[in-house]
Coordinates of all heavy atoms in Angstrom, one line a residue:
M1 N 3.4 -24.3 1.2 CA 4.6 -23.7 1.6 C 5.7 -24.8 1.3 O 5.6 -25.9 1.8 CB 4.7 -23.3 3.0 CG 6.0 -22.7 3.4 SD 6.2 -22.2 5.1 CE 4.6 -21.8 5.7
L2 N 6.7 -24.4 0.6 CA 7.9 -25.3 0.3 C 9.1 -24.7 1.0 O 9.4 -23.6 0.8 CB 8.1 -25.5 -1.2 CG 9.3 -26.2 -1.6 CD1 9.3 -27.7 -1.1 CD2 9.5 -26.1 -3.1
L3 N 9.7 -25.5 1.9 CA 11.0 -25.1 2.5 C 12.1 -25.9 1.8 O 12.1 -27.1 1.8 CB 11.0 -25.4 4.0 CG 9.8 -24.8 4.8 CD1 9.9 -25.2 6.2 CD2 9.9 -23.3 4.7
L4 N 13.1 -25.2 1.3 CA 14.2 -25.8 0.7 C 15.5 -25.5 1.5 O 15.7 -24.4 2.0 CB 14.5 -25.2 -0.7 CG 13.4 -25.4 -1.7 CD1 13.6 -24.5 -2.9 CD2 13.3 -26.8 -2.1
G5 N 16.3 -26.5 1.7 CA 17.6 -26.2 2.4 C 17.8 -26.9 3.7 O 17.2 -27.9 4.0
T6 N 18.7 -26.3 4.4 CA 19.2 -26.9 5.7 C 18.4 -26.2 6.8 O 18.7 -25.1 7.1 CB 20.7 -26.7 5.9 OG1 21.3 -27.3 4.7 CG2 21.2 -27.4 7.1
I7 N 17.5 -27.0 7.5 CA 16.7 -26.5 8.6 C 16.8 -27.5 9.7 O 16.6 -28.7 9.5 CB 15.3 -26.2 8.1 CG1 15.2 -25.3 6.9 CG2 14.4 -25.7 9.3 CD1 13.9 -25.2 6.2
S8 N 17.0 -27.0 10.9 CA 17.1 -27.9 12.0 C 15.8 -28.5 12.3 O 14.7 -28.0 12.0 CB 17.6 -27.1 13.3 OG 16.5 -26.3 13.8
Q9 N 15.8 -29.7 12.9 CA 14.5 -30.4 13.2 C 13.7 -29.6 14.1 O 12.4 -29.5 14.0 CB 14.8 -31.8 13.8 CG 15.3 -32.8 12.8 CD 14.2 -33.2 11.8 OE1 14.2 -32.7 10.7 NE2 13.2 -34.0 12.3
H10 N 14.3 -28.9 15.0 CA 13.6 -28.1 16.0 C 12.8 -26.9 15.3 O 11.7 -26.7 15.5 CB 14.5 -27.5 17.1 CG 13.8 -26.6 18.0 ND1 13.0 -27.1 19.0 CD2 13.9 -25.3 18.2 CE1 12.5 -26.0 19.7 NE2 13.1 -24.9 19.2
H11 N 13.6 -26.2 14.4 CA 13.0 -25.1 13.7 C 11.9 -25.6 12.7 O 10.8 -25.0 12.6 CB 14.1 -24.4 12.9 CG 13.7 -23.0 12.5 ND1 14.5 -22.1 11.9 CD2 12.6 -22.3 12.7 CE1 14.0 -21.0 11.7 NE2 12.7 -21.0 12.1
L12 N 12.1 -26.7 12.1 CA 11.1 -27.3 11.2 C 9.9 -27.6 11.9 O 8.7 -27.4 11.5 CB 11.7 -28.5 10.5 CG 10.8 -29.2 9.4 CD1 10.6 -28.2 8.3 CD2 11.6 -30.4 8.9
H13 N 10.0 -28.2 13.1 CA 8.9 -28.5 14.0 C 8.1 -27.3 14.4 O 6.9 -27.3 14.3 CB 9.3 -29.3 15.2 CG 8.2 -29.6 16.2 ND1 7.3 -30.6 15.9 CD2 7.9 -29.1 17.4 CE1 6.5 -30.7 16.9 NE2 6.8 -29.8 17.8
Q14 N 8.8 -26.2 14.7 CA 8.2 -24.9 15.1 C 7.4 -24.4 13.9 O 6.2 -23.9 14.1 CB 9.2 -23.9 15.5 CG 9.8 -24.2 16.9 CD 10.8 -23.1 17.3 OE1 11.6 -22.7 16.5 NE2 10.8 -22.8 18.6
V15 N 7.9 -24.4 12.7 CA 7.2 -23.9 11.6 C 6.0 -24.8 11.3 O 4.9 -24.3 11.0 CB 8.1 -23.8 10.3 CG1 7.4 -23.4 9.1 CG2 9.2 -22.8 10.6
G16 N 6.2 -26.1 11.4 CA 5.0 -27.0 11.2 C 3.9 -26.7 12.2 O 2.7 -26.7 11.8
Q17 N 4.2 -26.5 13.4 CA 3.2 -26.2 14.4 C 2.5 -24.9 14.1 O 1.3 -24.8 14.2 CB 3.9 -26.1 15.8 CG 4.3 -27.4 16.4 CD 3.2 -28.2 16.8 OE1 2.6 -29.0 15.9 NE2 2.7 -28.2 18.0
W18 N 3.3 -23.9 13.6 CA 2.7 -22.6 13.3 C 1.7 -22.7 12.1 O 0.6 -22.2 12.2 CB 3.8 -21.6 12.9 CG 3.3 -20.3 12.4 CD1 2.8 -19.3 13.1 CD2 3.2 -20.0 11.0 NE1 2.4 -18.3 12.2 CE2 2.7 -18.7 10.9 CE3 3.6 -20.6 9.8 CZ2 2.5 -18.0 9.7 CZ3 3.4 -20.0 8.6 CH2 2.8 -18.7 8.5
V19 N 2.1 -23.5 11.1 CA 1.2 -23.7 9.9 C -0.1 -24.4 10.4 O -1.2 -24.0 10.0 CB 1.9 -24.6 8.8 CG1 0.9 -25.0 7.8 CG2 3.0 -23.7 8.2
R20 N 0.0 -25.4 11.2 CA -1.1 -26.2 11.7 C -2.1 -25.3 12.5 O -3.3 -25.5 12.5 CB -0.7 -27.4 12.5 CG -0.3 -28.6 11.6 CD -0.1 -29.9 12.3 NE 1.0 -29.9 13.2 CZ 2.3 -30.1 12.9 NH1 2.6 -30.3 11.6 NH2 3.2 -30.1 13.8
Q21 N -1.5 -24.4 13.3 CA -2.3 -23.5 14.2 C -2.9 -22.3 13.4 O -4.0 -22.0 13.6 CB -1.5 -23.0 15.3 CG -1.2 -24.1 16.3 CD -0.3 -23.7 17.4 OE1 0.1 -22.5 17.5 NE2 0.1 -24.6 18.3
K22 N -2.1 -21.7 12.5 CA -2.5 -20.5 11.9 C -3.3 -20.7 10.6 O -4.3 -20.0 10.3 CB -1.2 -19.7 11.5 CG -1.5 -18.3 10.9 CD -1.8 -17.3 12.0 CE -2.1 -16.0 11.3 NZ -2.2 -14.9 12.2
Y23 N -2.9 -21.7 9.8 CA -3.6 -22.0 8.5 C -3.8 -23.5 8.4 O -3.3 -24.1 7.5 CB -2.7 -21.5 7.4 CG -2.3 -20.0 7.5 CD1 -1.1 -19.6 7.9 CD2 -3.3 -19.1 7.1 CE1 -0.8 -18.2 8.0 CE2 -3.0 -17.7 7.2 CZ -1.8 -17.3 7.7 OH -1.5 -16.0 7.8
P24 N -4.7 -24.0 9.2 CA -4.8 -25.5 9.2 C -5.4 -26.1 8.0 O -5.0 -27.3 7.6 CB -5.8 -25.7 10.4 CG -6.5 -24.5 10.6 CD -5.5 -23.4 10.2
R25 N -6.2 -25.4 7.3 CA -6.8 -26.0 6.0 C -6.3 -25.4 4.8 O -6.3 -25.9 3.7 CB -8.3 -25.8 6.1 CG -9.0 -26.8 7.0 CD -10.5 -26.6 7.0 NE -11.0 -26.5 8.4 CZ -11.4 -25.4 8.9 NH1 -11.4 -24.3 8.3 NH2 -11.8 -25.3 10.2
E26 N -5.7 -24.2 4.9 CA -5.3 -23.4 3.7 C -3.9 -23.7 3.3 O -3.6 -23.4 2.1 CB -5.5 -21.9 4.0 CG -6.9 -21.5 4.3 CD -7.3 -21.6 5.8 OE1 -6.5 -22.1 6.6 OE2 -8.4 -21.3 6.1
M27 N -3.1 -24.2 4.1 CA -1.6 -24.3 3.8 C -1.1 -25.6 4.2 O -1.4 -26.2 5.3 CB -0.8 -23.2 4.5 CG 0.6 -23.0 4.1 SD 1.5 -21.8 5.0 CE 0.6 -20.3 4.5
H28 N -0.2 -26.2 3.4 CA 0.5 -27.4 3.6 C 2.0 -27.1 3.6 O 2.4 -26.3 2.9 CB 0.1 -28.5 2.6 CG -1.3 -28.8 2.5 ND1 -2.0 -29.6 3.4 CD2 -2.3 -28.3 1.7 CE1 -3.3 -29.7 3.1 NE2 -3.5 -28.9 2.1
L29 N 2.7 -27.9 4.4 CA 4.1 -27.7 4.5 C 4.9 -28.8 3.9 O 4.6 -30.0 4.2 CB 4.5 -27.5 6.0 CG 6.0 -27.4 6.3 CD1 6.6 -26.1 5.8 CD2 6.2 -27.5 7.9
Y30 N 5.8 -28.5 3.0 CA 6.7 -29.5 2.4 C 8.1 -29.1 2.6 O 8.4 -27.9 2.5 CB 6.4 -29.6 0.9 CG 5.0 -30.0 0.6 CD1 4.0 -29.1 0.4 CD2 4.6 -31.4 0.6 CE1 2.7 -29.4 0.1 CE2 3.3 -31.7 0.4 CZ 2.3 -30.8 0.1 OH 1.0 -31.1 -0.1
Y31 N 8.9 -30.0 3.0 CA 10.4 -29.7 3.3 C 11.2 -30.6 2.3 O 11.0 -31.8 2.3 CB 10.7 -30.0 4.7 CG 12.1 -29.9 5.1 CD1 12.9 -28.8 4.8 CD2 12.8 -31.0 5.7 CE1 14.2 -28.7 5.1 CE2 14.1 -30.9 6.0 CZ 14.8 -29.8 5.7 OH 16.2 -29.7 6.0
L32 N 12.2 -29.9 1.7 CA 13.1 -30.6 0.8 C 14.5 -30.3 1.2 O 15.0 -29.2 0.9 CB 12.8 -30.2 -0.7 CG 13.7 -31.0 -1.7 CD1 13.3 -32.4 -1.8 CD2 13.4 -30.4 -3.1
P33 N 15.2 -31.2 1.9 CA 16.6 -30.9 2.3 C 17.5 -31.1 1.1 O 17.1 -31.8 0.1 CB 16.8 -31.9 3.4 CG 15.9 -33.1 3.1 CD 14.7 -32.5 2.4
Y34 N 18.6 -30.5 1.2 CA 19.6 -30.7 0.1 C 20.1 -32.1 0.0 O 20.4 -32.7 1.0 CB 20.8 -29.7 0.2 CG 21.8 -29.8 -0.9 CD1 21.5 -29.2 -2.1 CD2 22.9 -30.6 -0.8 CE1 22.4 -29.3 -3.2 CE2 23.8 -30.8 -1.9 CZ 23.5 -30.1 -3.1 OH 24.3 -30.3 -4.1
S35 N 20.2 -32.6 -1.2 CA 20.9 -33.8 -1.5 C 21.4 -33.8 -3.0 O 20.8 -33.0 -3.7 CB 20.0 -35.1 -1.2 OG 19.1 -35.2 -2.2
G36 N 22.2 -34.7 -3.3 CA 22.7 -34.7 -4.7 C 21.6 -35.0 -5.7 O 21.6 -34.6 -6.8
E37 N 20.6 -35.8 -5.2 CA 19.5 -36.2 -6.1 C 18.5 -35.0 -6.4 O 17.8 -35.1 -7.4 CB 18.6 -37.3 -5.4 CG 19.4 -38.6 -5.3 CD 18.6 -39.7 -4.6 OE1 17.5 -39.5 -4.2 OE2 19.2 -40.8 -4.4
N38 N 18.5 -34.0 -5.5 CA 17.6 -32.9 -5.8 C 18.3 -31.6 -6.0 O 17.8 -30.5 -5.9 CB 16.5 -32.7 -4.6 CG 17.1 -32.5 -3.3 OD1 18.2 -32.0 -3.2 ND2 16.5 -33.0 -2.3
R39 N 19.6 -31.7 -6.4 CA 20.4 -30.6 -6.7 C 19.8 -29.7 -7.8 O 19.9 -28.5 -7.7 CB 21.8 -31.0 -7.1 CG 22.8 -29.9 -7.1 CD 24.2 -30.3 -7.3 NE 24.6 -30.0 -8.7 CZ 25.6 -30.5 -9.3 NH1 26.3 -31.4 -8.8 NH2 25.9 -30.1 -10.5
D40 N 19.2 -30.3 -8.8 CA 18.6 -29.5 -9.9 C 17.5 -28.6 -9.3 O 17.4 -27.4 -9.8 CB 18.0 -30.4 -10.9 CG 19.1 -31.2 -11.7 OD1 20.2 -30.7 -11.7 OD2 18.7 -32.2 -12.4
V41 N 16.8 -29.0 -8.4 CA 15.7 -28.1 -7.8 C 16.4 -27.0 -7.1 O 16.0 -25.8 -7.2 CB 14.8 -28.9 -6.8 CG1 13.9 -28.0 -6.0 CG2 14.1 -30.1 -7.4
F42 N 17.5 -27.2 -6.3 CA 18.2 -26.2 -5.6 C 18.8 -25.2 -6.6 O 18.8 -24.0 -6.4 CB 19.2 -26.8 -4.7 CG 18.6 -27.2 -3.4 CD1 17.8 -28.3 -3.3 CD2 18.9 -26.5 -2.2 CE1 17.2 -28.7 -2.2 CE2 18.3 -26.9 -1.0 CZ 17.5 -28.0 -1.0
D43 N 19.4 -25.7 -7.7 CA 19.9 -24.9 -8.7 C 18.8 -24.0 -9.4 O 19.1 -22.8 -9.6 CB 20.6 -25.7 -9.8 CG 21.9 -26.3 -9.3 OD1 22.4 -25.9 -8.2 OD2 22.4 -27.3 -10.0
A44 N 17.7 -24.6 -9.6 CA 16.6 -23.8 -10.2 C 16.1 -22.6 -9.4 O 15.8 -21.6 -9.9 CB 15.4 -24.7 -10.5
F45 N 16.1 -22.8 -8.0 CA 15.7 -21.8 -7.1 C 16.9 -21.0 -6.6 O 16.8 -20.2 -5.7 CB 15.0 -22.4 -5.9 CG 13.5 -22.7 -6.3 CD1 13.2 -24.1 -6.6 CD2 12.5 -21.8 -6.3 CE1 11.9 -24.4 -6.9 CE2 11.2 -22.1 -6.6 CZ 10.9 -23.4 -6.9
D46 N 18.1 -21.3 -7.1 CA 19.3 -20.5 -6.7 C 19.6 -20.6 -5.2 O 19.8 -19.6 -4.5 CB 19.2 -19.1 -7.2 CG 20.6 -18.4 -7.1 OD1 21.6 -19.1 -7.3 OD2 20.6 -17.2 -7.0
V47 N 19.5 -21.9 -4.7 CA 19.8 -22.1 -3.3 C 21.1 -22.9 -3.2 O 21.2 -23.9 -3.8 CB 18.6 -23.0 -2.6 CG1 18.9 -23.2 -1.2 CG2 17.3 -22.3 -2.9
K48 N 22.0 -22.4 -2.4 CA 23.2 -23.1 -2.1 C 23.0 -24.3 -1.2 O 22.0 -24.4 -0.5 CB 24.3 -22.2 -1.5 CG 24.6 -21.0 -2.4 CD 25.7 -20.2 -1.7 CE 25.9 -18.9 -2.3 NZ 26.6 -18.7 -3.4
S49 N 23.9 -25.3 -1.2 CA 23.7 -26.5 -0.5 C 23.5 -26.3 1.0 O 22.8 -27.0 1.7 CB 24.8 -27.5 -0.7 OG 26.0 -26.9 -0.3
D50 N 24.1 -25.2 1.5 CA 23.9 -24.9 3.0 C 22.9 -23.7 3.2 O 22.8 -23.2 4.3 CB 25.3 -24.5 3.6 CG 25.9 -23.3 2.9 OD1 25.5 -22.9 1.8 OD2 26.9 -22.8 3.5
G51 N 22.2 -23.3 2.2 CA 21.3 -22.2 2.3 C 19.9 -22.6 2.5 O 19.6 -23.8 2.6
T52 N 18.9 -21.7 2.6 CA 17.5 -22.0 2.7 C 16.7 -21.0 1.9 O 17.2 -20.0 1.5 CB 17.0 -21.8 4.2 OG1 17.2 -20.5 4.6 CG2 17.7 -22.8 5.1
K53 N 15.5 -21.5 1.5 CA 14.6 -20.6 0.8 C 13.2 -21.1 1.1 O 12.9 -22.3 1.3 CB 14.8 -20.8 -0.7 CG 14.1 -19.7 -1.5 CD 14.7 -19.4 -2.8 CE 16.0 -18.7 -2.7 NZ 16.4 -17.8 -3.7
I54 N 12.3 -20.2 1.2 CA 10.9 -20.5 1.5 C 10.1 -20.0 0.2 O 10.3 -19.0 -0.3 CB 10.3 -19.8 2.7 CG1 8.9 -20.3 3.0 CG2 10.4 -18.3 2.7 CD1 8.5 -19.9 4.4
V55 N 9.2 -20.9 -0.2 CA 8.4 -20.6 -1.4 C 6.9 -20.9 -1.1 O 6.6 -22.0 -0.6 CB 8.8 -21.5 -2.6 CG1 8.1 -21.2 -3.8 CG2 10.3 -21.5 -2.8
L56 N 6.1 -19.9 -1.3 CA 4.7 -20.1 -1.2 C 4.1 -20.3 -2.6 O 4.3 -19.5 -3.4 CB 4.0 -18.9 -0.5 CG 4.2 -18.7 1.0 CD1 3.4 -17.5 1.5 CD2 3.8 -19.9 1.8
I57 N 3.5 -21.4 -2.7 CA 2.9 -21.8 -4.0 C 1.4 -21.7 -3.9 O 0.8 -22.3 -3.1 CB 3.3 -23.2 -4.4 CG1 4.9 -23.3 -4.5 CG2 2.7 -23.6 -5.8 CD1 5.4 -24.7 -4.5
R58 N 0.8 -20.9 -4.8 CA -0.6 -20.6 -4.8 C -1.4 -21.9 -5.3 O -0.8 -22.8 -5.9 CB -1.0 -19.5 -5.7 CG -0.3 -18.2 -5.3 CD -0.6 -17.0 -6.2 NE -0.9 -17.4 -7.6 CZ -0.7 -16.5 -8.6 NH1 -0.3 -15.3 -8.4 NH2 -1.0 -16.9 -9.9
P59 N -2.7 -22.0 -5.0 CA -3.4 -23.1 -5.5 C -3.4 -23.3 -7.0 O -3.5 -24.4 -7.5 CB -4.9 -22.8 -5.1 CG -4.7 -21.9 -3.9 CD -3.4 -21.1 -4.2
D60 N -3.1 -22.2 -7.8 CA -3.0 -22.4 -9.2 C -1.6 -22.7 -9.7 O -1.3 -22.7 -10.9 CB -3.5 -21.1 -9.9 CG -2.6 -19.9 -9.6 OD1 -1.6 -20.0 -8.9 OD2 -3.0 -18.8 -10.1
M61 N -0.8 -23.1 -8.7 CA 0.6 -23.6 -8.9 C 1.6 -22.6 -9.4 O 2.6 -22.9 -9.9 CB 0.6 -24.8 -9.9 CG -0.3 -26.0 -9.5 SD 0.0 -26.5 -7.8 CE 1.6 -27.3 -7.9
H62 N 1.3 -21.3 -9.2 CA 2.2 -20.2 -9.4 C 2.8 -19.8 -8.1 O 2.3 -20.0 -7.0 CB 1.5 -19.0 -10.0 CG 1.1 -19.2 -11.5 ND1 -0.1 -19.8 -11.8 CD2 1.8 -19.0 -12.6 CE1 -0.1 -19.9 -13.1 NE2 1.0 -19.4 -13.6
I63 N 4.1 -19.3 -8.2 CA 4.8 -18.9 -7.0 C 4.2 -17.5 -6.6 O 4.2 -16.6 -7.4 CB 6.3 -18.8 -7.2 CG1 6.8 -20.2 -7.4 CG2 7.0 -18.1 -6.0 CD1 8.3 -20.2 -7.8
G64 N 3.7 -17.4 -5.3 CA 3.2 -16.2 -4.8 C 4.2 -15.4 -4.0 O 4.1 -14.2 -3.9
Y65 N 5.1 -16.1 -3.4 CA 6.1 -15.5 -2.5 C 7.3 -16.3 -2.4 O 7.2 -17.6 -2.4 CB 5.4 -15.4 -1.1 CG 6.3 -14.9 0.0 CD1 6.4 -13.5 0.3 CD2 7.1 -15.7 0.8 CE1 7.3 -13.0 1.3 CE2 7.9 -15.3 1.8 CZ 8.0 -13.9 2.0 OH 8.8 -13.4 3.0
I66 N 8.5 -15.7 -2.4 CA 9.7 -16.4 -2.3 C 10.7 -15.6 -1.5 O 10.7 -14.3 -1.7 CB 10.3 -16.8 -3.7 CG1 11.4 -17.8 -3.5 CG2 10.6 -15.6 -4.5 CD1 11.8 -18.5 -4.9
N67 N 11.4 -16.2 -0.6 CA 12.4 -15.4 0.2 C 13.5 -16.3 0.7 O 13.3 -17.5 1.0 CB 11.7 -14.8 1.4 CG 12.4 -13.6 2.0 OD1 13.6 -13.6 2.2 ND2 11.7 -12.5 2.3
D68 N 14.6 -15.8 1.0 CA 15.8 -16.5 1.5 C 15.7 -16.6 3.1 O 16.4 -17.4 3.6 CB 17.1 -15.9 1.2 CG 17.4 -15.9 -0.3 OD1 16.9 -16.8 -1.0 OD2 18.2 -15.1 -0.8
M69 N 14.8 -15.9 3.7 CA 14.7 -15.9 5.1 C 13.4 -16.7 5.5 O 12.3 -16.4 5.0 CB 14.5 -14.5 5.7 CG 15.8 -13.6 5.5 SD 15.6 -11.9 6.1 CE 14.4 -12.0 7.4
L70 N 13.6 -17.6 6.4 CA 12.5 -18.4 7.0 C 11.9 -17.6 8.1 O 12.4 -17.7 9.3 CB 12.9 -19.8 7.4 CG 11.8 -20.7 8.0 CD1 10.6 -20.8 7.1 CD2 12.4 -22.0 8.2
N71 N 10.9 -16.7 7.9 CA 10.4 -15.8 8.9 C 8.9 -15.8 8.8 O 8.3 -15.3 7.8 CB 11.0 -14.4 8.6 CG 10.5 -13.4 9.6 OD1 9.4 -13.4 10.1 ND2 11.4 -12.5 10.0
V72 N 8.2 -16.4 9.8 CA 6.8 -16.5 9.7 C 6.1 -15.2 9.8 O 5.0 -15.0 9.3 CB 6.2 -17.5 10.8 CG1 6.7 -18.9 10.6 CG2 6.6 -17.0 12.2
S73 N 6.7 -14.1 10.3 CA 6.1 -12.8 10.3 C 6.0 -12.3 8.9 O 5.0 -11.6 8.6 CB 6.9 -11.8 11.2 OG 6.9 -12.2 12.5
L74 N 7.0 -12.5 8.1 CA 6.9 -12.1 6.7 C 5.8 -12.8 5.9 O 5.1 -12.2 5.1 CB 8.3 -12.3 6.0 CG 9.4 -11.4 6.5 CD1 10.7 -11.8 5.8 CD2 9.1 -9.9 6.3
I75 N 5.7 -14.1 6.3 CA 4.7 -14.9 5.6 C 3.3 -14.4 6.0 O 2.4 -14.3 5.2 CB 4.9 -16.4 5.9 CG1 6.2 -16.9 5.4 CG2 3.7 -17.2 5.3 CD1 6.6 -18.2 5.9
D76 N 3.1 -14.1 7.3 CA 1.8 -13.6 7.8 C 1.5 -12.3 7.1 O 0.4 -12.1 6.7 CB 1.9 -13.4 9.3 CG 1.3 -14.5 10.1 OD1 0.5 -15.3 9.5 OD2 1.5 -14.6 11.3
T77 N 2.5 -11.4 7.0 CA 2.2 -10.1 6.3 C 1.8 -10.4 4.9 O 0.8 -9.7 4.4 CB 3.5 -9.3 6.4 OG1 3.9 -9.0 7.7 CG2 3.3 -8.0 5.6
Y78 N 2.5 -11.2 4.2 CA 2.0 -11.6 2.8 C 0.6 -12.1 2.8 O -0.2 -11.6 2.0 CB 3.0 -12.6 2.2 CG 2.5 -13.1 0.9 CD1 2.7 -12.3 -0.3 CD2 1.8 -14.3 0.7 CE1 2.3 -12.7 -1.5 CE2 1.3 -14.7 -0.5 CZ 1.6 -13.9 -1.6 OH 1.1 -14.4 -2.8
M79 N 0.3 -13.1 3.7 CA -1.0 -13.7 3.7 C -2.1 -12.7 4.0 O -3.2 -12.7 3.4 CB -1.0 -14.8 4.7 CG -0.1 -16.0 4.4 SD -0.4 -16.8 2.8 CE -1.8 -17.8 3.3
E80 N -1.8 -11.8 4.9 CA -2.8 -10.8 5.4 C -2.9 -9.6 4.4 O -4.0 -9.2 4.0 CB -2.5 -10.3 6.8 CG -2.7 -11.4 7.8 CD -2.3 -11.0 9.2 OE1 -1.9 -9.8 9.4 OE2 -2.3 -11.8 10.1
E81 N -1.8 -9.0 4.0 CA -1.8 -7.8 3.2 C -2.1 -8.1 1.7 O -2.8 -7.3 1.1 CB -0.5 -7.0 3.4 CG -0.3 -6.6 4.8 CD -1.3 -5.7 5.3 OE1 -1.9 -4.8 4.6 OE2 -1.6 -5.8 6.5
V82 N -1.5 -9.1 1.2 CA -1.7 -9.4 -0.2 C -2.9 -10.2 -0.5 O -3.7 -10.0 -1.4 CB -0.4 -10.1 -0.8 CG1 -0.6 -10.5 -2.3 CG2 0.8 -9.2 -0.7
L83 N -3.1 -11.3 0.3 CA -4.3 -12.2 0.0 C -5.5 -11.8 0.8 O -6.6 -12.3 0.5 CB -3.8 -13.6 0.3 CG -2.7 -14.2 -0.5 CD1 -2.4 -15.6 -0.1 CD2 -3.0 -14.1 -2.0
G84 N -5.3 -11.0 1.9 CA -6.5 -10.6 2.7 C -6.9 -11.7 3.7 O -8.1 -11.7 4.1
W85 N -6.0 -12.6 4.0 CA -6.4 -13.7 5.0 C -6.1 -13.2 6.4 O -5.0 -12.8 6.7 CB -5.5 -15.0 4.7 CG -5.9 -15.7 3.5 CD1 -6.6 -15.2 2.4 CD2 -5.6 -17.0 3.1 NE1 -6.7 -16.1 1.4 CE2 -6.2 -17.3 1.9 CE3 -5.0 -18.0 3.8 CZ2 -6.1 -18.5 1.2 CZ3 -4.9 -19.3 3.2 CH2 -5.4 -19.5 1.9
K86 N -7.1 -13.3 7.2 CA -6.9 -12.9 8.6 C -7.6 -13.8 9.5 O -8.3 -14.7 9.1 CB -7.5 -11.5 8.9 CG -6.7 -10.4 8.0 CD -7.0 -9.0 8.6 CE -6.4 -8.0 7.6 NZ -5.2 -7.4 8.1
N87 N -7.5 -13.6 10.8 CA -8.2 -14.4 11.8 C -8.0 -15.9 11.6 O -8.9 -16.7 11.4 CB -9.7 -14.2 11.8 CG -10.0 -12.7 12.1 OD1 -9.3 -12.1 12.8 ND2 -11.0 -12.2 11.4
F88 N -6.7 -16.3 11.7 CA -6.3 -17.7 11.7 C -6.7 -18.4 10.4 O -7.2 -19.5 10.4 CB -6.8 -18.5 12.9 CG -6.2 -18.0 14.2 CD1 -6.8 -17.0 14.9 CD2 -4.9 -18.3 14.5 CE1 -6.3 -16.5 16.1 CE2 -4.3 -17.8 15.7 CZ -5.0 -16.9 16.4
G89 N -6.5 -17.7 9.3 CA -6.7 -18.4 8.0 C -8.0 -18.2 7.4 O -8.2 -18.7 6.2
H90 N -9.0 -17.6 8.0 CA -10.3 -17.5 7.4 C -10.2 -16.2 6.5 O -9.7 -15.2 6.9 CB -11.4 -17.3 8.5 CG -11.5 -18.5 9.4 ND1 -12.0 -19.7 9.0 CD2 -11.1 -18.7 10.6 CE1 -12.0 -20.5 10.0 NE2 -11.4 -19.9 11.0
L91 N -10.8 -16.4 5.3 CA -10.8 -15.3 4.4 C -11.7 -14.1 4.9 O -12.7 -14.3 5.5 CB -11.3 -15.7 3.0 CG -10.4 -16.6 2.3 CD1 -11.2 -17.1 1.0 CD2 -9.2 -15.9 1.9
S92 N -11.2 -12.9 4.8 CA -12.0 -11.8 5.2 C -12.1 -10.8 4.0 O -11.1 -10.7 3.2 CB -11.3 -11.1 6.4 OG -10.1 -10.4 6.0
K93 N -13.2 -10.2 3.9 CA -13.4 -9.2 2.8 C -12.9 -7.9 3.3 O -13.4 -7.3 4.2 CB -14.9 -9.1 2.5 CG -15.5 -10.4 2.1 CD -15.7 -10.6 0.7 CE -16.3 -11.9 0.4 NZ -16.3 -12.3 -0.9
I94 N -11.8 -7.4 2.6 CA -11.2 -6.2 3.0 C -11.7 -5.1 2.1 O -12.0 -4.0 2.6 CB -9.6 -6.3 2.9 CG1 -9.1 -7.3 4.0 CG2 -9.0 -4.9 3.2 CD1 -7.7 -7.5 3.9
H95 N -11.8 -5.3 0.9 CA -12.2 -4.3 -0.1 C -13.7 -4.4 -0.4 O -14.2 -5.4 -0.7 CB -11.4 -4.3 -1.3 CG -9.9 -4.2 -1.0 ND1 -9.3 -3.1 -0.7 CD2 -8.9 -5.2 -1.0 CE1 -8.0 -3.3 -0.5 NE2 -7.8 -4.5 -0.7

């Protein structure tokens, strides 16, 4: 999971805790705050200097999910409904 933008330390800590508890082996969290040095990345993802964006990058390095809202419920829905991950990150056979 890649977080781009302006995120408070408190909110970043909460998301980090959630990742460690919900998907301890399956997901890693990376945070890239806005700066002049990484402006090209923000431009590529169409993120304003005061905005945010969350990007889930699959193991094959393709983007699986992208959203302007940092909402763990939406991420959970994606992980469970699209990827079939349930029960704290363990893969389950749905089909």
Side-chain angles (χ1 to χ4, degrees):
M1 178 184 334
L2 173 62
L3 302 177
L4 299 167
T6 305
I7 302 168
S8 72
Q9 284 295 102
H10 178 72
H11 201 178
L12 186 59
H13 178 74
Q14 286 180 322
V15 173
Q17 290 289 86
W18 173 80
V19 168
R20 282 190 291 278
Q21 290 174 5
K22 184 80 179 191
Y23 302 104
R25 287 183 230 102
E26 297 85 359
M27 189 181 297
H28 302 279
L29 175 65
Y30 300 94
Y31 172 55
L32 185 64
Y34 180 82
S35 75
E37 293 177 2
N38 57 31
R39 191 173 108 197
D40 290 341
V41 175
F42 280 69
D43 290 345
F45 282 101
D46 197 28
V47 182
K48 296 183 192 279
S49 62
D50 60 346
T52 59
K53 192 157 290 211
I54 185 166
V55 182
L56 287 181
I57 303 167
R58 302 181 327 206
D60 63 3
M61 303 309 290
H62 288 87
I63 294 172
Y65 175 88
I66 191 166
N67 201 318
D68 293 336
M69 292 177 31
L70 178 54
N71 183 321
V72 294
S73 295
L74 293 175
I75 297 166
D76 261 343
T77 299
Y78 172 82
M79 297 297 284
E80 292 175 4
E81 300 299 323
V82 175
L83 298 180
W85 290 20
K86 297 197 185 256
N87 300 326
F88 297 96
H90 299 287
L91 289 174
S92 70
K93 304 257 181 194
I94 295 177
H95 303 286

